[in-house]
Amino acid sequence: MDQRPIGVFDSGLGGLTVVKELVKLLPHEDILYFGDTGRVPYGTRSPETISKYAQQDIAFLRRKDVKMVIAACGTVSAVLPKEVVKGFSFPYSGVVKPAAQAACAASASGKIGVIGTSATIKSGAYGKEIRSIRSDAIVIGNACPLFVPLVENGFIQPDNPVTRMVAQQYLKPILENGVDTLILGCTHYPLIKPIIGELVGEDVTLIDPGKEAARGAAVLLQSQGLLSGREQAGELHFYVSDSTQGFEQTASVFLHTDSVTGHIEQVDIDSL
Ligand code: DGL
């Protein structure tokens, strides 16, 4: 048993969709979340910069003595080099592998769509992971750079005309290729799942990376005897690199709760 918190990070608040799933699955665990709100977005940056930021984020969580690190960010999971990950001396998970596994299991035709940030799609990481599980798979990816700013600015209502119009455009090439499964390859996208779901139709299975990563983390902690074993509810601790003003309100949208309880603190980016 291990009483230490689970560390989760993202470039901003999208990773809270992973926290939401973790709380559901592992209600007795403490979770420490870091959102690099001072440097979001990552998805438009170079692999070198994303990798540097991610390693700083991970070092921050490690200094807080977390028992596991989850990169709740499609971009970091896709870009952080395998050699860096191999060097970690602690349990680590991204979102690419668990989402790819779920997509391969869900797809009957093997035609799988992936949407994500520009850096994620450019990396080809989802495609590589999918083909390592299912060599006959055909993967169709499309970058959706406007989705993150739309979500961060609250354009998430299912009938929002702007987000619908943008989504229609982004999903066109995916639909033209007749996929039966679509990975929402960025942890911001579950917030606009109703819009995406309606546009692709109910015959297309949507894979939420947050759900899959949370499931994977639960299995890993259980198998390594690292669950807290506590009876009482776990606590949430939030750290952000920009002002905490407005955090509670935005975070409650991502977490699907009326209000956010827990410790909220701004950390100095230069000390990361
Ligand atoms: N939530 C991140 C991801 O999953 C967001 C993107 C960004 O910072 O551009 O890719």
Side-chain angles (χ1 to χ4, degrees), residues 241-254:
S241 54
D242 200 359
S243 163
T244 58
Q245 217 187 352
F247 174 85
E248 284 176 52
Q249 207 195 335
T250 318
S252 66
V253 175
F254 279 85

Side-chain angles (χ1 to χ4, degrees), residues 10-15 40-44 72-76 95 117 120 148 185-188:
D10 179 39
S11 55
L13 300 182
V40 68
Y42 283 9
T44 49
C73 176
T75 308
V76 168
V95 295
T117 66
T120 298
V148 169
C186 166
T187 51
H188 278 72

Side-chain angles (χ1 to χ4, degrees), residues 62 109 139 149 172 220:
R62 290 293 291 160
S109 67
V139 183
K172 210 168 164 230
L220 188 145

